[in-house]
Amino acid sequence: MHVPDGFIDAPTSAVTAVVAAGALAVSLRGARRELDERTAPLAGLVAAFIFAVQMLNFPVAAGTSGHLLGGALAAILVGPYTGVLCVSVVLLMQGILFADGGLTALGVNITDMAIVTTVVAYAVFRGLLKVLPRTRRSVTAASFVAALLSVPAASVAFTLLYAIGGTTDVSIGKVATAMIGVHVLIGVGEAAITALTVGAVVAVRPDLVHGARELRQGLKLRVNGVLVDAPAAPAAARTSRRTLWITGLVTSLVLAGFVSFYASANPDGLEKVAHDKGIDVKAEEHASAGSPLADYGVKDVSDARLSGGLAGVIGVGVTVVAGSAVFWAVRRRRGEAARTPSEAL
C-alpha cells in the first residue's frame, strides 16, 4: 500500500504531512514511557523485521499479492507510540533508498500505513484483552484479529484521502469496493504473520512484549488446598535478550536476503487496483529512481537473485541501525528527564 507520487494532489499531501509530523512528535514523547534499557534494542529489531517481511509479497487472488504492513505487529510488541515510529522508520528507508512509496507522498504513507494501522490494531487488541482470559493464547488470538482489521482500515483511509485529493476522476465507490475487498484478503496474511510472530516472542520472553504486560504475574501453585506463589524460574531457563535479538536479526537477514527471491511477483493490492481503475494515470517517477538500490536491487549486479538478496541485507542493516539510533536517543531522553528532578534537589 505504498502510495506513489502523483496519486494524491499537493494540498492533500501537504496536510497529511502536517498530520504525520504531529503524530510523530506525539509518538516520540509517548515512546519515552514505553522504552527502557530492555525494550529499546527490541524496537530497532522490530523495524528491521518489518522491513524484511514487507519484501515477502504473498499471493492472494486474481493476480494480486500482498505484504505485511506491520502496524499491528509493532504496536503489540513494543507499544503503540513506538510502533508508529517503527513503521515510519521503515517507510523513510524504503522511500529514500529503494524508491518505494513517493517522497511527496511520505505524509500520506505514514498517516495510512503507520498511524491508522497502529491505532486501529492496538485499540482492537486492548479491547479484546479486556474480555478474553489473561493467557498467552489470548494475546496471540487478539493479535490475529487486530492485525486482520488493521489492513482494511488502512484501505478505507486511503480511499478517504483519494476522495479528498485524488488526481484522477474515478468513482470513489469503485475504488472503495476494490480496495477494501482485496485488502480484507491481504489482512488474513497480515494476521497470520502477526500472530505467529507475537506468539513466538511471547512464548520465550513475554516480559518483553508490550501487549503481554498484564500477563506478568507470579505462577500460583495449590498446596494442601491453598494457593501459594511458585518459585521464580531461574534466569537461565529463559531466552536471553541478546539471544532473542541475534535470532531476530538473523531471521530478518535470511528473509530479506534469501527468502525474498521467492516472493510473489504479482502487483500488490494498491498497484492492482490503481492499474485496473486508472488511478495510476498521473503517477510520477520517483525522486529516488536513480538510487543504487531502487526497486530492491543493487545497481550493476546482473544476477537477479544476488542483486535482490544484497539489497535486502543492506536494507535490514540500514533499518536496524537507523531504528536503533532513534530508539536509543528516545530512551536517553527518558533517562535525562527522570534524572532532572533529583539533580534539581
Side-chain angles (χ1 to χ4, degrees):
M1 200 180 292
H2 294 75
V3 180
D5 294 323
F7 276 28
I8 306 296
D9 63 24
T12 306
S13 296
V15 171
T16 57
V18 173
V19 171
L24 290 177
V26 172
S27 296
L28 284 169
R29 293 180 63 85
R32 296 180 192 174
R33 300 190 297 271
E34 295 173 344
L35 295 172
D36 55 32
E37 68 279 357
R38 298 179 311 136
T39 56
L42 180 62
L45 177 62
V46 168
F49 182 77
I50 290 173
F51 175 91
V53 180
Q54 283 196 2
M55 293 184 66
L56 308 181
N57 281 50
F58 48 84
V60 285
T64 309
S65 70
H67 63 69
L68 182 80
L69 296 185
L73 178 62
I76 295 166
L77 287 180
V78 294
Y81 295 108
T82 309
V84 169
L85 298 178
C86 281
V87 180
S88 297
V89 167
V90 174
L91 293 172
L92 185 61
M93 295 299 102
Q94 290 171 331
I96 293 175
L97 298 178
F98 297 91
D100 190 9
L103 295 184
T104 62
L106 186 59
V108 173
N109 285 318
I110 290 177
T111 300
D112 195 24
M113 295 177 64
I115 300 171
V116 171
T117 59
T118 301
V119 171
V120 170
Y122 199 70
V124 172
F125 177 79
R126 297 302 305 173
L128 289 173
L129 286 189
K130 289 181 179 180
V131 299
L132 293 174
R134 294 162 58 91
T135 65
R136 295 178 183 178
R137 288 185 178 180
S138 295
V139 171
T140 303
S143 300
F144 184 94
V145 178
L148 176 64
L149 296 178
S150 70
V151 178
S155 71
V156 171
F158 169 80
T159 303
L160 292 175
L161 289 173
Y162 193 81
I164 296 170
T167 55
T168 55
D169 186 16
V170 179
S171 168
I172 299 304
K174 293 181 179 179
V175 173
T177 300
M179 284 291 292
I180 297 172
V182 71
H183 284 92
V184 166
L185 298 177
I186 294 173
V188 176
E190 176 103 10
I193 294 170
T194 300
L196 287 172
T197 305
V198 170
V201 180
V202 167
V204 295
R205 287 300 299 265
D207 59 306
L208 295 181
V209 178
H210 182 88
R213 288 183 174 180
E214 293 184 0
L215 304 182
R216 299 179 195 174
Q217 51 186 351
L219 178 65
K220 299 287 186 179
L221 296 179
R222 187 175 296 277
V223 179
N224 297 326
V226 179
L227 288 176
V228 298
D229 292 331
R238 63 182 188 179
T239 304
S240 69
R241 282 179 287 156
R242 177 177 295 181
T243 300
L244 178 64
W245 195 90
I246 292 174
T247 301
L249 180 60
V250 171
T251 301
S252 300
L253 291 171
V254 171
L255 292 175
F258 176 74
V259 181
S260 62
F261 181 77
Y262 301 97
S264 173
N266 291 331
D268 66 23
L270 176 59
E271 291 173 334
K272 178 68 172 175
V273 172
H275 177 73
D276 290 348
K277 304 301 180 183
I279 295 175
D280 58 356
V281 172
K282 295 186 178 181
E284 301 172 2
E285 184 179 16
H286 200 286
S288 297
S291 167
L293 298 173
D295 298 323
Y296 297 94
V298 177
K299 187 177 181 180
D300 297 329
V301 176
S302 57
D303 184 275
R305 185 191 298 267
L306 179 60
S307 178
L310 286 175
V313 168
I314 293 170
V316 168
V318 171
T319 303
V320 75
V321 170
S324 297
V326 170
F327 300 124
W328 273 115
V330 172
R331 192 259 169 186
R332 183 178 180 182
R333 288 291 300 274
R334 171 184 174 176
E336 291 175 351
R339 288 194 300 270
T340 300
S342 60
E343 289 175 351
L345 295 175

